[in-house]
Amino acid sequence: MNELAHHPEPPTALICATDYIALKVIHCAWQNGLRVPADLSVIGFDDITEASEAHPPLTTIRQPMEKMAEKAVNLLLQQIQDQQEIDQVQYKMAPVLVERETTKRMN
């Protein structure tokens, strides 16, 4: 972020792999004189507790953790009950965009 802040054409938005990284990016942007979201929009991923408590509150993508855990437990119980391994399975679960204050809308 330090290098990006001083680049001749700095980014106007960043999508971070985790909320922790996004929160560090926001702090580093502030240290470099950038305002979030006026100068830089930031989105995280996970929706950790700190995301809603940050200043400004972090826009993030929430994963359906309860549904994911429920599917995993059900597969494990089925495997134990049937006493055989389950073939590889794949489930698609939609994440949710949690809009807070680190992004600005473009018209």
Side-chain angles (χ1 to χ4, degrees):
M1 187 61 224
N2 286 324
E3 288 180 32
L4 289 175
H6 300 290
H7 191 273
E9 294 182 34
T12 58
L14 289 175
I15 299 173
C16 301
T18 69
D19 285 348
Y20 288 114
I21 293 171
L23 294 171
K24 293 289 183 184
V25 164
I26 292 168
H27 181 73
C28 191
W30 176 79
Q31 287 180 320
N32 284 282
L34 296 174
R35 298 165 297 148
V36 173
D39 301 319
L40 178 69
S41 291
V42 180
I43 296 178
F45 192 88
D46 292 326
D47 197 22
I48 60 173
T49 302
E50 293 87 342
S52 63
E53 299 171 351
H55 183 71
L58 179 65
T59 296
T60 187
I61 298 172
R62 179 185 302 144
Q63 298 183 78
M65 296 303 288
E66 287 183 20
K67 286 182 182 178
M68 293 166 62
E70 183 180 333
K71 286 286 187 189
V73 168
N74 287 338
L75 283 171
L76 179 60
L77 291 174
Q78 182 182 345
Q79 186 173 355
I80 291 169
Q81 181 181 347
D82 297 345
Q83 295 186 355
Q84 61 181 350
E85 287 192 33
I86 296 173
D87 290 335
Q88 182 178 355
V89 294
Q90 200 173 62
Y91 295 101
K92 293 184 180 181
M93 298 179 189
V96 175
L97 175 63
V98 181
E99 292 185 68
R100 294 195 179 111
E101 298 177 28
T102 58
T103 54
K104 63 180 177 180
R105 286 198 182 266
M106 302 302 291
N107 294 330

